[in-house]
Amino acid sequence: MAGSTPDPRIGELVARLTLAQKVRLLTGADFWSLHAEPAVGLRTVVVSDGPSGVRGAVWDERDPSLNLPSATALAATWDPEIAYRYGVAAANEARRKGVGVVLGPTINLHRSPLGGRHFEAYSEDPLLTAEIAEAFVRGLQDHGVAACPKHYVANDFETDRFTASVEVSEQALHELYLVPFERAVVDAGAWSVMSAYNAVGGTTMTEHPLLTEPLKGTWGFDGVVISDWTAVRSLASAAAGQDVVMPGPDGPWGDALVAAVEAGEIPVEVVDDKVHRILVLAARLGALDGFDPAVPVPTLPASDHEATVGTDPADIALAREAETRAIVLVRNDGVLPLGTPTSPAPATIAVLGQSALRPRTQGGGSATVVPVSTVSPLDGLRAALPDATITFATGALVHDGVLPFALDDVRDPETGAPGVRTRFLAADGGVVLDEVRQATDLMWLGNAPVAHTFEVLTDYTAPESGPIELGWSVIGSTTLEVDGTVVLEADLLVAPEDFGAALMAPPSTTVRVEVEAGRTYRLHWTHPLTGIPSMPDGSDLAEVLGFTAGWRPVVESTDALIAEAVEAARTADVAVVVVGTNEKVESEGFDRSDLRLPGRQDDLVAAVAAVNPRTVVVVNSGSPVVMPWRDDVAAVLLTWFGGQEYGHALADVLTGAAEPGGRLPTTWPKTEADVPVLDVTPHDGVVRYDEGIHIGYRAWLRAGIEPAYPFGFGLGYTTWSYDAVRIMDAGVHSGAVAASGSVRVSVDVTNTGERTGRQVVQVYLARESLTVDRPLRWLAGSAVVTADPGQTTTAEVLVRARAFQHWDSATHAWTAEPGRFTLVVARDATDSALDATVIR
């Protein structure tokens, strides 16, 4: 279903407005909201980042948010039911924070594992991405909050994303990159869509004909096209399908658009259509007087801070459940779970790796939310196994930037309350803003006051004696004083083309300082707010500031860190090594340079595995990494960025309280050199998708290269047999199944193990063709089933008619090639458990 337009009186409201009033509505009121218009009863609509949580209009630890597992984790569940509930939780948070539009889900594809924003998108497969996206959008909008699927379209890389153009075939565009957007719009009825920064075929997306056809044409989209922030750069986009310019209040439309309409250069009907769409959105949200919201939910508060009730405990429980369903077990020699009826839980466990203490629960960039708290793997295991002796050693560093201070170690110099005092000062030294913050990693995204200088003051009490690295992370010049003495001055510069990325992950610097345990030191950072570069497109983001006042441990010898971990592991019953990526590897704004784990984490795993055969490795990354040690350890769990309940969910899986239910949403390679589609770097301003429709597992199959772990792969704590396949809703012809539309596939599977388990039954199609470029096989459907030991259950899989079709670039339409298709029932993209034939 494309969205159904509410009351036709909306057209009458549009007619009431002057041209200037109409055009005003087409640019944001500020960084995070759309304009109100009392003349037609239109109230402000707040929009918010947050595909994996809802941040609201401020990035502030004093207004915390639910931190759900990352998008790759959600896709790893392969479960639309979980995705729907995930959307419901996001809607609950949005309404609590007065948000009407959630800027997500991110439904670009994992074309290359080097994509820096990989963690925020679902999958390398268009169908799996579409299934999860549709469910998420339904869960959100069924509860009165608009989804805004993004980034339309082909924004599958971060390098030069503001300016680069994608060259992609018409077939690949329609068979891959547009598919998730079509499902989100046509089937889920998305109320808004975000246009991307990049160009396609040389035309920037905010001006692209694709906004009109197929989006507003064939698909019947009646919602609002919202630009990515600063993506609208000219008046030309106003004549296209673009509806709203963000952020506001300034932009390239305004008076220029009024003049263009008055001069007859742009028809007034174009403006009227955009305004009509905004009022339709407002009516659906309950933000238009006299119109009932689309669903019976509480009316959104007029202000984004009227609702202050905390996150629903049920949604926190969902964060834990979703992560347990997402964890993918890719190797297990029997060491897991830790404790069975015949094998008691280990008495001693060595938990190793910096990520065991400081995991990443979410990716970097605009998707960031600030949770009340997070549960580390170390915390989770200690809570789950209170009788075990659990030791920790850092082993290897993951984070190369400064870390925020623990709140217990810093206090406001004026009140003595935990936290730091932050001040924005005018040129004459007058105070523009003075407040106490309860964190030292700070971000003002659209709400930083206009000021000359920013400063941070705190009284830091050293928890232990010895050297410490003190410093900061920010773009520009900064001075650090300790007890009134300047200890470090530095100017951290970034190239103009890197400015957007550096806002979210600024460079950092530190200086070594000797401290005494229990002694308090006055720390004072001073940061001028002048001379900051602008965005690559020339836009000024003066209201944006990211600043971390922090520290990092002094490491005299990385060999010594590893040796300490080895000694802890040597005598332990089990060693659990948590490795992962950091904010300089996976974040919005830049792509990855390679697929290696940062630092000496590979050396750590190899050294621990050499002394303890019961070594379990937990990978805390949002996207694939290479694991040269993967065959030398007892077990490997791929856990993504697991949300605020990550440690509890991981402990549930490690101890067997929950099944590791995930299956890979993207292929994991043995080596980076094996990856068939890798390049994400524009050349002469162009990214060429020359592989066509062959990305992900399709490309791996075509290249004949065996990955470490294929798309769809995942083990559990039980075993399964695949017993029979039947194709329903179709007649039988010559011993095969003849069908012209969708088919229903029934697959009988039996749990042949000793535990209740969860299985993802996958159905692929294959067809040899001399006239149509097709993958060797492609995902056509899937279903999740559970069964007790010895129980046989039936998975029902819908294979839609579209799965048999291909895009004909000559006729610019979908068409079905007649003949035989092989239907393969499998555990993953390389498996063949059962098969049948379908004749079209």
Side-chain angles (χ1 to χ4, degrees):
M1 64 172 202
S4 56
T5 303
D7 198 307
R9 289 177 296 161
I10 285 178
E12 300 172 11
L13 298 181
V14 175
R16 290 186 200 172
L17 300 173
T18 66
L19 177 59
Q21 287 174 315
K22 294 173 185 176
V23 169
R24 175 175 169 272
L25 295 178
L26 305 184
T27 297
D30 53 34
F31 216 83
W32 295 115
S33 65
L34 308 184
H35 279 288
E37 180 46 75
V40 292
L42 173 63
R43 295 191 283 111
T44 296
V45 172
V46 175
V47 304
S48 171
D49 282 321
S52 299
V54 181
R55 190 173 61 247
V58 294
W59 189 318
D60 194 321
E61 74 285 348
R62 296 167 299 179
D63 185 17
S65 303
L66 175 67
N67 174 196
L68 291 161
S70 65
T72 42
L74 182 59
T77 69
W78 284 61
D79 193 341
E81 186 267 339
I82 284 286
Y84 182 89
R85 292 166 55 200
Y86 189 106
V88 173
N92 293 341
E93 285 284 283
R95 294 203 310 275
R96 183 174 70 84
K97 287 174 169 279
V99 168
V101 181
V102 172
L103 302 174
T106 302
I107 53 177
N108 301 114
L109 298 184
H110 298 174
R111 174 179 170 267
S112 163
L114 290 180
R117 214 166 174 176
H118 204 307
F119 62 87
E120 195 180 321
Y122 290 133
S123 168
E124 68 187 20
D125 182 78
L127 178 62
L128 178 58
T129 298
E131 296 277 357
I132 299 298
E134 179 188 345
F136 175 92
V137 171
R138 287 183 186 277
L140 198 64
Q141 296 189 169
D142 283 355
H143 293 78
V145 178
C148 187
K150 62 186 185 184
H151 309 84
Y152 187 89
V153 63
N155 184 190
D156 313 289
F157 57 94
E158 292 294 289
T159 305
D160 296 342
R161 60 179 176 155
F162 295 101
T163 57
S165 179
V166 172
E167 290 297 325
V168 58
S169 71
E170 186 177 329
Q171 182 188 9
L173 185 66
H174 284 269
E175 291 188 14
L176 297 179
Y177 303 103
L178 286 171
V179 168
F181 289 96
E182 182 178 10
R183 283 284 292 276
V185 168
V186 176
D187 292 339
W191 295 344
S192 63
V193 165
M194 181 184 288
S195 54
Y197 289 121
N198 60 284
V200 171
T203 302
T204 190
M205 281 310 305
T206 55
E207 302 172 13
H208 209 286
L210 285 168
L211 295 177
T212 302
E213 185 57 49
L215 181 59
K216 292 183 175 180
T218 301
W219 296 354
F221 175 65
D222 65 355
V224 178
V225 177
I226 301 173
S227 75
D228 206 339
W229 269 229
T230 76
V232 173
R233 294 136 195 178
S234 74
L235 188 60
S237 55
Q242 186 67 46
D243 296 317
V244 170
V245 177
M246 289 301 288
D250 300 317
W253 289 5
D255 292 342
L257 179 53
V258 171
V261 173
E262 292 176 339
E265 297 168 0
I266 295 177
V268 69
E269 291 79 11
V270 170
V271 172
D272 287 350
D273 177 71
K274 300 177 192 301
V275 174
H276 189 279
R277 291 169 179 273
I278 292 170
L279 297 184
V280 167
L281 173 63
R284 288 170 168 157
L285 298 175
L288 189 62
D289 291 347
F291 291 81
D292 293 331
V295 291
V297 297
T299 301
L300 293 174
S303 164
D304 55 2
H305 281 296
E306 285 186 13
T308 57
V309 178
T311 296
D312 188 331
D315 292 335
I316 297 174
L318 172 67
R320 180 171 181 169
E321 179 187 358
E323 172 62 6
T324 64
R325 298 274 191 98
I327 292 174
V328 183
L329 178 66
V330 294
R331 178 176 174 82
N332 187 17
D333 70 356
V335 67
L336 295 180
L338 300 177
T340 67
T342 58
S343 177
T348 58
I349 303 174
V351 179
L352 313 169
Q354 190 180 29
S355 292
L357 183 64
R358 296 182 177 273
R360 292 196 78 196
T361 64
Q362 59 188 310
S366 62
T368 302
V369 296
V370 184
V372 172
S373 62
T374 59
V375 182
S376 72
L378 182 61
D379 292 337
L381 272 171
R382 283 177 170 163
L385 298 171
D387 296 330
T389 299
I390 297 178
T391 58
F392 169 75
T394 299
L397 297 182
V398 179
H399 304 280
D400 59 359
V402 296
L403 299 168
F405 290 105
L407 189 58
D408 290 342
D409 296 339
V410 289
R411 293 191 174 272
D412 170 34
E414 295 187 18
T415 66
V420 297
R421 182 164 292 273
T422 63
R423 290 195 181 105
F424 288 85
L425 305 176
D428 62 2
V431 176
V432 178
L433 177 66
D434 184 346
E435 57 185 3
V436 177
R437 299 295 298 269
Q438 296 169 346
T440 67
D441 48 340
L442 307 165
M443 174 66 75
W444 288 264
L445 195 56
N447 63 332
V450 176
H452 181 270
T453 304
F454 171 72
E455 67 176 15
V456 178
L457 297 97
T458 194
D459 285 339
Y460 166 71
T461 302
E464 56 187 44
S465 298
I468 187 175
E469 297 274 348
L470 296 176
W472 65 81
S473 175
V474 75
I475 301 171
S477 175
T478 307
T479 300
L480 170 61
E481 299 174 38
V482 177
D483 288 340
T485 300
V486 174
V487 297
L488 181 62
E489 294 179 280
D491 195 359
L492 304 181
L493 302 176
V494 296
E497 62 270 21
D498 297 329
F499 181 63
L503 283 173
M504 301 297 178
S508 63
T509 186
T510 59
V511 62
R512 182 175 295 197
V513 176
E514 289 287 338
V515 296
E516 298 177 15
R519 179 178 169 183
T520 298
Y521 301 82
R522 174 69 52 83
L523 308 182
H524 183 191
W525 290 262
T526 305
H527 173 65
L529 295 172
T530 56
I532 302 297
S534 62
M535 295 285 280
D537 59 6
S539 57
D540 179 17
L541 293 182
E543 296 179 322
V544 176
L545 172 64
F547 189 102
T548 297
W551 69 286
R552 65 184 177 195
V554 172
V555 177
E556 302 290 357
S557 167
T558 57
D559 287 339
L561 285 182
I562 292 175
E564 180 187 13
V566 166
E567 289 310 305
R570 191 185 303 275
T571 57
D573 293 337
V574 173
V576 176
V577 187
V578 185
V579 296
T581 58
N582 61 36
E583 64 283 354
K584 303 295 185 183
V585 173
E586 295 187 81
S587 180
E588 177 182 355
F590 52 86
D591 291 311
R592 299 171 65 182
S593 58
D594 58 59
L595 299 181
R596 294 175 297 175
L597 288 167
R600 295 191 61 191
Q601 295 181 93
D602 287 333
D603 294 338
L604 169 65
V605 175
V608 170
V611 300
N612 192 323
R614 291 171 58 82
T615 295
V616 177
V617 180
V618 175
V619 182
N620 175 211
S621 71
S623 57
V625 297
V626 292
M627 300 177 287
W629 35 259
R630 67 188 183 281
D631 293 331
D632 300 325
V633 298
V636 178
L637 290 163
L638 310 181
T639 64
W640 322 107
F641 298 149
Q644 67 185 66
E645 291 292 294
Y646 175 50
H648 286 322
L650 176 61
D652 288 343
V653 169
L654 287 171
T655 61
E659 174 89 355
R663 301 295 182 267
L664 289 181
T666 196
T667 306
W668 282 51
K670 292 179 179 177
T671 68
E672 185 175 316
D674 288 341
V675 180
V677 179
L678 190 65
D679 191 17
V680 291
T681 304
H683 300 278
D684 297 323
V686 176
V687 181
R688 298 189 179 279
Y689 288 16
D690 290 338
E691 68 282 350
I693 62 171
H694 304 280
I695 68 169
Y697 65 91
R698 302 166 176 226
W700 285 89
L701 291 171
R702 187 189 199 193
I705 301 173
E706 181 183 0
Y709 308 111
F711 173 81
F713 180 76
L715 306 173
Y717 290 154
T718 189
T719 55
W720 297 84
S721 67
Y722 281 57
D723 306 326
V725 57
R726 298 177 300 280
I727 302 177
M728 313 297 291
D729 297 342
V732 176
H733 176 71
S734 301
V737 173
S740 58
S742 301
V743 298
R744 295 192 176 275
V745 181
S746 296
V747 182
D748 295 337
V749 293
T750 301
N751 181 346
T752 57
E754 298 178 353
R755 291 174 52 105
T756 298
R758 178 179 183 272
Q759 182 74 335
V760 179
V761 177
Q762 301 161 44
V763 173
Y764 296 82
L765 287 176
R767 174 181 168 80
E768 294 184 7
S769 175
L770 299 177
T771 59
V772 177
D773 183 20
R774 289 189 177 277
L776 292 180
R777 66 168 62 175
W778 60 96
L779 184 67
S782 63
V784 177
V785 295
T786 59
D788 294 328
Q791 180 184 6
T792 298
T793 189
T794 300
E796 301 288 349
V797 181
L798 173 65
V799 176
R800 297 171 178 241
R802 175 65 65 80
F804 298 96
Q805 299 172 348
H806 66 275
W807 182 263
D808 187 334
S809 298
T811 62
H812 310 294
W814 290 99
T815 185
E817 187 182 26
R820 292 176 177 267
F821 290 77
T822 301
L823 187 149
V824 180
V825 179
R827 297 172 177 84
D828 60 62
T830 62
D831 179 51
S832 298
L834 300 167
D835 61 67
T837 300
V838 178
I839 299 175
R840 303 292 296 185

